[in-house]
Structure formats: C-alpha cells, structure tokens
C-alpha cells in the first residue's frame, strides 16, 4: 500500500467508570388517534451494527431501493425512490432537512453510522411530519444517538481485500465511540472514524470498449442486444479482459458529538456537532480520461431544545443549525479548478398537540426557515432565503377510522426570483385488529436548486427562468403488525401508488430546461418474519415501477420509459442467530434500466449477494466478524460507464471497554 495506516490508539479514560443507570421520567400525553397513513421502513442501531454496513448507501440498497452509485466506499451515490432521485428524496437529521441547497442532494458518505440511533425511510410524497416539505420520491429520517444511561467506550477496526495478489489489504476502517452520563442529568455521545480505501478492485472490459455485465466475473458476457431488446446468437460469451480500477483512492474522517442536559420532566437542551472531511480521487468513467480530485469539508452545528407536555397540552421542539459545505475539485489535466463554499443557517420549530377533544384530535404545527449564501466558481455568488409553514391534523372518528390532513405553504427566494407553492394532502386510515388499511392523495412541488439556475462550466449553463416541478400522487395500501404465525410472527405491508409529474428539470442541449410530464404507476412492499424467538429472521423489501413519458412534442421519446429507472428492485435478507455466532445473508436485485429516453439500449439486471458472520462476545468485550460482499463476483453498472467492485472480504472486530 502507498500509505501505512495506523489504528486508533485507545486512550485510558480513568474517569469513565461505569455508573448506575439513571432514571429519566418523560411525561406522556394521551391520544386516541389509532392509525397512521405514513409507512416507514425502520433500521435500528442494533441492525446497523449486526450487519456492519459501511455507509448509508448500503442501508438504502438493503431496503429494496435503487442505489445510483459511481463506485465503492466514499464515492458518489444517491437513492432513487419510485423513479425519483436527487433533491426529490429528502434527508432529515434530527428534524432538520440537510439536502444541499446548491445541488439538492445529501452526500451519503458524510454520515457516520456509528453515531446513528435509527433510520426511517418513507416512500412517496405523503409525509405527516412537519419538519420540512419537499418530498416527492420520499424521505430518509435519521435520528442521532444522544442519551445512553450507562457509560461505554467501544472501538471498531476492520480491513477489506479485493483478493489482489499485489495488494492483499485494500481498505482500513477504524471507529472509536464513547457514550454515557457525565453527571446525573448530562449525557455525552461522541464518536469518530478514520477510513482509508485504495479501491483497487477488478472489473472486466470487453474488446469493443464496453463493460461486462453478469455473474462470476461476467462469465456469460457478450450476448448482443439489438434495438428491440432481443438477443443475437453466435457471440463469444467469454470475451473481455480484467483490469484494475485506478485513481479511486478515498481517505476520510468523521467526528460527531452530542451533549444533552435534562432539566426536569424530560425537558432537555442538546448541543450537537457533525463533522466530515474527505479526500477523494474521482476516477471517472472506465474508458475516459476524466480523473479528478475532490476535497469535501462539511460541518453541522446544532442547538436543540425539547419541552414535552408544556402545560400538559403540547410538545415543543426548537432547533437552530449552522450547516457548512465546502467542496474543492480539480481534474487530472489541471484544466478545471473549482470550489463551492456554502453556508446555511436553519431554524425549525414544531408543536405537537395531542390532547384536543379528549385525545381524539392530534394537531402538529411546524415552521422551518433557512438563509443560504453560496460562493462558487461555477454558480457565482448568490443568496437564497426559503421557508415552510406546515400543519398536520389527525382525527380519530371512531370504529378504528382516522383522517389526516397535512397542509403546507412554501417559498424560495433566489436573489430576486421568487417561487411559492401550496401543498395540500389528505389521508384516511382504518385499523381493525392488527391490520391497518390506508389511502392518501397528495401534491408534489420541487423548486429548482442553485445549480439548476446558475451553473456555468463544462459547456453547460443553468437557466434562471426554470419553473418548479410539480405533480399529484396517490397511495393505497395496507399494513399488518405482528400477526402470529406458526412458530413466529409476521409484519409488513404493501402499497400501490400512482404519480403524475410535470416540468421535470433536466440537463438537455447544454442547459437546464423543464421537460414535459410523465406518468408513474407501481407497487412497493416490505415484509418481515421472525421465527423461534428471533432465531430465524426474514425480511423482504422491494418496488415495482411502470412509468412513461408524455411529451407529444417529442415523438421519439413519447410513451417511452424514463431512463435509469428499473422495472423492479428487490432485497431479501435472512438471519440465523445461534448461541455462539449469527449469520446474515442479503440478496439485492436491480432490474433492467434504459440508458437513454429513446429506449434503444439498456444496462442489464444484476444481483448482489452479501454475507455477514458475527461471533458472540468473547469475555463480554471482544466481538469478531467477517463480511463477504458481492459473493457472486457480479460485474455490473449502477450508472453507465462506471464499473462497480466485484467480490470483497472484510474482517473486523469490535471491543467494548
């Protein structure tokens, strides 16, 4: 390896003796609202640790959601939910939306999973929460760890190999965390990580300058697909040569700390810090000379005050956050040197009334506002002021029926350009026994981001005259909670959805423009089963999607499928928990995706098979594990032209002091 990577030295905190458990009594407010319309996939901290995910991208993919990835650990990736991506999928950390207002996305590599308490994924544009309003494809809610009643220090270390003879160890990951009370009512959760990934994995290229696609190293690559999608015969199925990915090295670090003080009856004040620094070589496409170097420095400082049961009537939460995103980029030729400095001040506040009409009406009111200042070599200097006022009324009418009415008004002022939208939604749910049936109707609105409006560079330029994207959607589905079956329990649900969306913003002919409408119809599902007191677990998540472009002025693409959207995405996870070892097996499938809206050629489906084995704690402190990713050595492309890693093995351990 080019660099010698040292593991974290463990500092002896002689003041960190294990304390007695601290009891905190939280007041509760009575509510009889029986059901919710918003459906969530929940991933807990225990699941994250048990499956040893490297990044948020891995979690999203394991939940049956398409992951648009440009490479392995540290390189760009983003989710595509119900065919929507980028800023249409919102990321909310502790009630604050953290999507970058410059490009609309959230960098998944900046999240330290060691500091995460819970991740909740909501598909679609119907959201009952009042933290923000902007979801079209969905929302990823992230809750950070803040309160642990027993002190602990944990250290994690792992190494990864892509089975190279010249470089047996490719990547190193190291994490250190402390959690627990500093005094009777003051708690600290702090963690950090230091990671190095050479990312010199193998991929296979064909003789005609294309990438192979298929299992076992693309063994069956070479089947020629014509413009109608049929396979021609007489092609050498073993063509291609192995190559090693270059210029993909990533070195990054996380530092997270949350100091929380309780001051009676569950009231608390929390000060949080989330820092990320990344030094990333971006390799570009496999057959191009687009290598570059990107440096990211992100900082998120938050101050949150939580007051439950104010006057025994409502819960009150207020947060002020400063988000700083700094990105510096230079390509290998030195012909492009860009920087993007973005500072955002956000305020969010919410009130949750749960005791109206003897608890049969629940009223949530939220407000969020932000001020952003951008200084960019490609966008110039700009100021953005935006805000959302949202309320959600939930009414229990008896017989297990409840109604939900979220209403939002949002605005965005970019320099002198003002966008405004009213976003109504309505939902109904019926709960009978362990079953919950629901239906909803919602409007979707997405304002253009700063890159859409102002970008200039690489023969592309933004368009300040863009209109907001908008549309309507509807869901119909059911959910079942903990139904007893033979030797176990079943939970999960299924949702049929439909969306009509227009004025989608797209880079076309060197600029951004609003393209015509599109129709979406699909079904998503998530089911879980647990047998023999969780000795055997099974989870199934997925999405089927049908969509068509509806611009009659473009006859070549009218009625065609939207590019990059697969017809089917699915993930199945199995778990076996023995006394001395536990096993987790996850299989993820991503279907065929057209690489243009002309629907002439496409990327082939692929299956990723990942395996994790974790031993029991040795002497109550030491836990070894190993993880095998892409066990079938499947050669695939999540985005055209970017080869993804084949089989890899990670060996690691966690030590609890």
């Amino acid at each position: 390896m080019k660099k010698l990577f040292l593991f974290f030295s463990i500092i002896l905190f002689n003041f960190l003796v294990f304390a007695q458990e601290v009891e905190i009594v939280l007041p509760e407010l009575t509510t009889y609202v029986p059901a919710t319309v918003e459906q969530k996939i929940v991933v807990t901290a225990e699941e994250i640790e048990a499956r040893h995910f490297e990044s948020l991208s891995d979690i999203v993919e394991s939940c049956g959601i398409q992951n648009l990835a440009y490479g392995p650990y540290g390189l760009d990736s983003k989710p595509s939910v119900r065919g929507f991506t980028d800023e249409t999928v919102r990321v909310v950390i502790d009630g604050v939306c953290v999507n970058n207002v410059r490009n609309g996305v959230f960098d998944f590599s900046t999240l330290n999973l060691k500091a995460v308490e819970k991740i909740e994924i909501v598909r679609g544009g119907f959201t009952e929460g009042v933290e923000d309003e902007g979801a079209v494809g969905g929302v990823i809610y992230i809750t950070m760890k803040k309160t642990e009643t027993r002190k602990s220090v944990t250290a994690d270390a792992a190494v990864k190999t892509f089975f190279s003879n010249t470089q047996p160890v490719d990547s190193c990951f190291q994490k250190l965390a402390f959690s627990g009370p500093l005094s009777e009512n003051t708690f600290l959760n702090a963690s950090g990580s230091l990671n190095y990934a050479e990312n010199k994995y193998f991929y296979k290229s064909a003789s005609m300058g294309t990438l192979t696609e298929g299992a076992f190293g693309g063994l069956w690559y070479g089947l020629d697909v014509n413009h109608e999608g049929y396979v021609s015969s007489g092609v050498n199925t073993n063509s291609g040569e192995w190559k090693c990915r270059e210029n993909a090295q990533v070195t990054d670090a996380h530092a997270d700390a949350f100091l929380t003080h309780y001051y009676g009856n569950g009231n608390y004040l929390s000060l949080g810090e989330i820092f990320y620094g990344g030094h990333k070589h971006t390799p570009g496409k496999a057959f191009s000379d687009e290598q570059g170097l990107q440096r990211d420095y992100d900082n998120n400082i938050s101050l949150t005050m939580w007051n439950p049961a104010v006057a025994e009537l409502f819960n009150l939460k207020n947060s002020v956050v400063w988000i700083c995103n700094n990105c510096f980029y230079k390509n290998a030729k030195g012909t492009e040197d860009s920087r993007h400095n973005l500072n955002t001040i956000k305020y969010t506040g919410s009130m949750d009334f749960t005791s109206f009409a003897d608890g049969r009406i629940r009223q949530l009111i939220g407000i969020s506002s932000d001020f952003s200042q951008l200084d960019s070599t490609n966008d110039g200097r700009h100021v953005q002021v935006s805000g959302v006022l949202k309320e959600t009324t939930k009414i229990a009418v008896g017989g297990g029926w409840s109604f939900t009415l979220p209403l939002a008004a949002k605005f965005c002022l970019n320099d002198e350009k003002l966008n405004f939208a009213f976003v109504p939604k309505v939902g109904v749910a019926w709960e009978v026994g362990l079953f919950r049936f629901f239906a909803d109707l919602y409007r979707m609105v997405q304002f253009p981001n700063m890159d859409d409006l102002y970008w200039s560079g690489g023969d592309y330029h933004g368009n300040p005259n863009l209109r907001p994207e908008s549309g309507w959607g509807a869901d119909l589905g059911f959910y079942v909670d903990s139904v007893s079956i033979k030797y176990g329990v079943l939970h999960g649900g299924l949702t049929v959805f439909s969306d009509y969306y227009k004025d989608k913003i797209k880079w076309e002919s060197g600029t951004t423009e609003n393209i015509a409408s599109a129709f979406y119809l699909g079904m998503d599902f998530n089911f879980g089963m647990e047998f023999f007191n969780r000795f055997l677990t099974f989870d199934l998540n997925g999405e089927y999607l049908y969509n068509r472009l509806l611009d009659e002025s473009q006859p070549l693409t009218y009625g065609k499928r939207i590019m990059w959207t697969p017809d089917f995405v699915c993930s199945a996870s199995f778990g076996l928990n023995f006394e001395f070892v536990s096993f987790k097996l996850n299989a993820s499938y991503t279907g065929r995706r057209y690489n243009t809206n002309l629907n002439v050629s496409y990327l082939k489906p692929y299956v990723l098979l990942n395996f994790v084995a974790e031993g029991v704690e040795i002497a109550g402190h030491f836990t070894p594990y190993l993880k095998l990713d892409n066990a079938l050595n499947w050669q695939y492309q999540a985005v055209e032209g970017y080869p993804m890693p084949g089989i890899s093995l990670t060996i690691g351990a966690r030590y609890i002091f």
Side-chain angles (χ1 to χ4, degrees):
M1 297 176 62
K2 296 181 179 179
K3 295 184 178 180
L4 179 63
F5 216 63
L6 299 178
F7 290 112
F8 284 144
S9 60
I10 308 303
I11 302 173
L12 179 61
F13 297 103
N14 53 16
F15 62 89
L16 296 180
V17 294
F18 284 83
Q20 295 295 320
E21 195 167 302
V22 179
E23 182 179 2
I24 298 173
V25 179
L26 301 178
E28 295 184 1
L29 301 178
T30 302
T31 178
Y32 296 99
V33 177
T36 179
V37 179
E38 188 176 60
Q39 303 300 299
K40 295 180 179 179
I41 301 173
V42 181
V43 182
T44 64
E46 291 75 18
E47 293 177 81
I48 293 174
E49 284 200 350
R51 297 178 62 175
H52 299 282
F53 294 112
E54 287 182 359
S55 67
L56 183 57
S57 300
D58 297 338
I59 295 177
V60 167
E61 195 164 55
S62 73
C63 293
I65 295 173
Q66 182 189 10
N67 186 37
L68 294 168
Y70 294 80
Y73 175 83
L75 298 182
D76 192 24
S77 67
K78 50 193 175 184
S80 177
V81 184
R82 294 185 174 179
F84 294 94
T85 184
D86 295 335
E87 63 265 48
T88 60
V89 180
R90 313 295 278 180
V91 178
V92 176
I93 297 180
D94 289 338
V96 178
C97 182
V98 293
N99 289 62
N100 187 309
V101 300
R102 176 178 68 87
N103 55 24
V105 302
F106 173 74
D107 185 354
F108 278 11
S109 63
T110 64
L111 183 68
N112 178 16
L113 296 182
K114 191 69 175 178
V116 172
E117 177 68 29
K118 180 174 58 175
I119 294 175
E120 300 168 290
I121 301 175
V122 176
R123 293 184 175 110
F126 188 92
T127 52
E128 296 177 340
V130 293
E131 296 87 353
D132 195 0
E133 183 54 48
V136 173
V139 185
I140 301 174
Y141 294 102
I142 300 170
T143 303
M144 307 299 283
K145 294 178 180 177
K146 297 181 184 64
T147 304
E148 294 288 343
T149 56
R150 296 188 66 87
K151 289 182 180 178
S152 68
V153 178
T154 62
D156 296 69
V159 295
K160 176 193 283 189
T161 179
F162 288 110
F163 300 101
S164 169
N165 293 329
T166 59
Q167 187 167 303
V169 176
D170 180 272
S171 308
C172 299
F173 308 97
Q174 299 154 95
K175 300 176 183 178
L176 183 66
F178 164 78
S179 62
L182 299 181
S183 65
E184 185 177 0
N185 296 314
T186 304
F187 301 82
L188 175 65
N189 270 269
S191 61
S193 72
L194 186 60
N195 312 295
Y196 174 79
E198 189 74 18
N199 287 330
K200 282 196 170 184
Y201 55 90
F202 297 104
Y203 67 95
K204 199 173 185 181
S205 66
S207 57
M208 299 182 64
T210 57
L211 295 173
T212 66
E213 296 179 278
F216 304 106
L219 178 63
W220 295 287
Y221 175 79
L223 299 179
D224 185 30
V225 181
N226 62 23
H227 69 281
E228 294 179 343
Y230 295 105
V231 176
S232 302
S233 59
V235 181
N236 180 8
T237 60
N238 293 306
S239 61
E241 63 175 308
W242 288 102
K243 295 186 177 181
C244 182
R245 194 61 156 144
E246 301 288 345
N247 303 303
Q249 179 191 104
V250 172
T251 304
D252 65 7
H254 302 84
D256 304 82
F258 288 87
L259 184 65
T260 305
H261 176 71
Y262 285 84
Y263 52 96
N265 293 327
N267 296 276
Y268 72 73
L269 182 70
S270 181
L271 179 64
E273 158 71 4
I274 303 174
F275 172 80
Y276 174 78
H279 188 88
K280 308 174 182 179
H281 292 263
T282 57
K285 292 186 176 182
F287 302 100
S288 65
D289 187 17
E290 299 176 356
Q291 295 85 6
L293 175 64
Q294 180 174 316
R295 292 177 291 126
D296 294 319
Y297 303 101
D298 296 337
N299 202 42
N300 182 320
I301 299 178
S302 61
L303 178 65
T304 301
M305 183 176 293
W306 169 252
N307 304 106
V310 177
E312 298 184 356
L313 183 61
F314 61 88
N315 300 324
L316 178 65
K317 184 177 182 181
N318 290 280
S319 298
V320 178
V321 181
W322 170 52
I323 302 175
C324 178
N325 303 111
N326 296 303
C327 177
F328 306 90
Y329 177 81
K330 178 181 291 187
N331 66 11
K333 299 177 182 179
T335 57
E336 184 178 350
D337 190 355
S338 62
R339 59 171 178 79
H340 312 279
N341 305 106
L342 177 64
N343 287 276
T344 300
I345 301 294
K346 283 180 170 284
Y347 164 77
T348 63
S350 63
M351 301 176 69
D352 182 1
F353 296 86
T354 60
S355 297
F356 288 160
D358 295 325
R360 288 174 175 29
I361 297 178
R362 185 174 182 181
Q363 180 70 58
L364 294 85
I365 301 174
I367 184 172
S368 65
S369 60
D370 61 80
F371 173 85
S372 301
Q373 189 173 40
L374 175 66
D375 184 0
S376 167
T377 52
N378 293 101
D379 292 301
R381 295 185 177 182
H382 299 280
V383 171
Q384 174 177 301
V385 180
S386 63
V388 176
L389 176 63
K390 185 175 181 179
E391 73 82 33
T392 298
T393 304
K394 298 173 67 70
I395 305 173
V397 296
W401 287 91
S402 65
F403 292 89
T404 304
L405 183 64
L407 302 173
K410 55 185 293 188
F411 78 93
C412 183
L413 177 64
N414 293 100
D415 295 340
E416 298 179 354
K417 180 179 178 59
L418 176 65
N419 283 309
F420 175 83
F422 175 62
V423 186
K425 305 178 183 181
V426 62
V428 58
W430 179 47
E431 193 170 82
V432 51
L434 297 175
F435 285 83
R436 183 169 70 247
F437 301 89
F438 59 88
D440 57 62
L441 175 68
Y442 52 89
R443 191 184 182 208
M444 306 174 289
V445 178
Q446 179 64 52
F447 296 146
N449 60 54
M450 290 187 172
D451 278 359
D452 295 332
L453 297 170
Y454 307 120
W455 179 271
S456 178
D459 297 325
Y460 287 92
H461 61 86
N463 179 5
N465 298 316
L466 290 171
R467 299 182 301 275
E469 303 174 356
S470 64
W472 289 90
D475 297 336
L476 176 65
F478 75 91
Y479 186 83
V480 57
D481 187 18
S482 300
V483 173
S484 295
I485 56 178
K486 192 172 184 179
Y487 307 121
V489 295
L490 165 70
H491 59 85
L494 182 147
T495 303
V496 177
F497 64 87
S498 178
D499 297 312
Y500 172 79
Y501 206 58
K502 66 178 183 177
D503 292 330
K504 177 68 177 175
I505 297 172
K506 182 183 177 183
W507 291 90
E508 193 81 24
S509 302
T511 187
T512 48
E513 61 183 21
N514 295 101
I515 63 174
S517 57
F519 173 74
Y520 300 76
L521 177 65
M523 175 184 66
D524 53 49
F525 53 87
N526 61 289
F527 290 96
M529 290 182 285
E530 301 168 1
F531 299 95
F532 310 109
N533 196 25
R534 292 191 60 82
F535 169 73
L536 172 63
T537 62
F538 172 72
D539 292 284
L540 181 66
N541 299 280
E543 172 187 293
Y544 169 79
L545 177 64
Y546 170 92
N547 59 41
R548 288 297 182 266
L549 292 164
L550 300 179
D551 186 357
E552 294 183 350
S553 66
Q554 301 292 328
L556 293 179
T557 60
Y558 180 80
K560 300 296 179 64
R561 188 176 186 87
I562 300 174
M563 58 190 291
W564 306 127
T565 58
D567 52 358
F568 188 62
V569 182
C570 183
S571 175
S573 300
F574 302 85
L576 281 172
N577 300 293
F578 294 96
E579 183 178 358
F580 296 106
V581 65
S582 63
F583 300 97
K584 307 290 182 184
L585 179 67
N586 179 264
S588 298
Y589 170 83
T590 300
R592 187 175 70 173
R593 295 135 292 141
Y594 288 107
N595 51 18
T596 71
N597 287 334
L598 296 175
N599 292 182
V600 174
S601 57
Y602 55 81
L603 300 180
K604 296 180 182 179
Y606 60 88
V607 175
L608 300 180
L609 193 64
N610 303 325
F611 173 82
V612 176
E614 182 180 85
V616 70
E617 286 186 356
I618 300 175
H621 295 282
F622 182 77
T623 305
Y625 72 90
L626 62 85
K627 184 171 66 155
L628 189 67
D629 289 328
N630 197 357
L632 300 179
N633 196 27
W634 205 294
Q635 298 296 296
Y636 70 102
Q637 301 170 75
V639 178
E640 185 184 24
Y642 291 85
M644 297 297 292
I647 187 171
S648 67
L649 176 67
T650 301
I651 301 175
R654 178 172 61 252
Y655 193 88
I656 302 177
F657 292 86

